[in-house]
Amino acid sequence: MKKAVIFDMDGTLWDSVDEIVESWNKTCPEMHIRREQLIGLMGKTMDCFAKELLSEYKLDEAMEIIHACERDENEYLSHVGAKLYGDIRKVFETLRDMGYEIGIVSNCQAGYIEVFLKSSGLGKYFRGHLCFGDTGLEKHDTILKLMNTYHLKDTVYVGDTMGDFLSCRKAGIPFVFASYGFGDVPEPDYRISRPADLTKLFG
């Protein structure tokens, strides 16, 4: 069994909020999305986005609009990318040299993680990844599915929201709070103020 670090995406590896706002407002101008709105929803599943941003629509109609936004977002981000936090590449290289497998689990749509890996050029560092769009499962179950698929036992999860923390509790693994992200977790197992702190934490 292998030791591993599994990462969340938004607020942990990169900040794509401004790009998503721009893309979604082009796809659906009537939503008038602002950065502050999206930050409050980051880490949640897409049905939560639909209920919050398109409350005047029936859920199935709102989800159709959200899916259109997701498709356009993936296409847009594949061209423009987004802001990475710190020197992520160096962090991944160090973790790999320390013997850690690296993965991603997110509540994002299918294809979003692949866009991140391609636009950032970091795909070679990751053992595997899964998201809500792939599995349709709650986050803790998606984490466990990734762990089982790649035989990961000694695993920690790095994220930035209370939802991430609660998912780790359900999955039975330690949680590392990325305090530079979008959320607040008062009592995490570990806390980092930048990605590079991980190499000190596990060193």
Side-chain angles (χ1 to χ4, degrees):
M1 304 295 279
K2 310 176 186 73
K3 59 183 181 179
V5 181
I6 301 177
F7 289 88
D8 175 49
M9 278 285 305
D10 297 295
T12 303
L13 293 178
W14 74 354
D15 179 353
S16 63
V17 174
D18 290 339
E19 289 77 14
I20 294 173
V21 167
E22 184 171 351
S23 175
W24 282 33
N25 280 333
K26 287 181 180 178
T27 303
C28 187
E30 59 267 31
M31 282 200 286
H32 304 293
I33 298 173
R34 304 184 310 277
R35 178 180 172 87
E36 294 74 21
Q37 285 178 293
L38 280 193
I39 286 177
L41 290 168
M42 283 300 183
K44 298 182 179 180
T45 53
M46 286 299 121
D47 58 323
C48 295
F49 280 69
K51 292 172 184 176
E52 177 70 22
L53 300 174
L54 297 163
S55 58
E56 68 274 24
Y57 290 86
K58 293 180 180 179
L59 183 57
D60 59 342
E61 295 172 339
M63 287 304 298
E64 286 185 16
I65 297 172
I66 292 295
H67 289 323
C69 289
E70 291 173 339
R71 290 191 296 269
D72 292 349
E73 171 194 329
N74 284 351
E75 177 66 21
Y76 183 68
L77 285 171
S78 70
H79 295 295
V80 304
K83 178 185 176 183
L84 299 174
Y85 289 110
D87 191 353
I88 290 288
R89 184 183 302 274
K90 185 175 181 180
V91 172
F92 292 158
E93 289 176 349
T94 302
L95 289 175
R96 189 175 61 180
D97 291 344
M98 294 167 65
Y100 284 90
E101 300 279 6
I102 304 172
I104 297 175
V105 169
S106 171
N107 272 338
C108 63
Q109 70 270 20
Y112 183 78
I113 296 176
E114 289 84 349
V115 167
F116 164 78
L117 296 176
K118 183 177 179 180
S119 66
S120 67
L122 298 173
K124 68 178 181 179
Y125 296 103
F126 289 88
R127 182 70 176 92
H129 56 81
L130 283 174
C131 68
F132 176 78
D134 297 326
T135 67
L137 300 172
E138 293 187 20
K139 197 166 199 177
H140 68 280
D141 285 325
T142 302
I143 291 171
L144 292 172
K145 183 176 178 66
L146 186 77
M147 291 173 62
N148 289 334
T149 299
Y150 295 102
H151 309 291
L152 309 176
K153 183 178 182 182
D154 186 6
T155 300
V156 300
Y157 186 88
V158 185
D160 69 309
T161 68
M162 181 59 72
D164 293 331
F165 171 77
L166 295 175
S167 294
C168 288
R169 285 293 178 267
K170 291 179 180 179
I173 62 174
F175 175 69
V176 180
F177 174 49
S179 63
Y180 54 84
F182 302 137
D184 183 37
V185 179
E187 298 182 4
D189 298 304
Y190 305 97
R191 182 186 301 266
I192 58 173
S193 59
R194 55 178 184 159
D197 291 344
L198 282 171
T199 59
K200 300 176 183 177
L201 186 63
F202 301 136

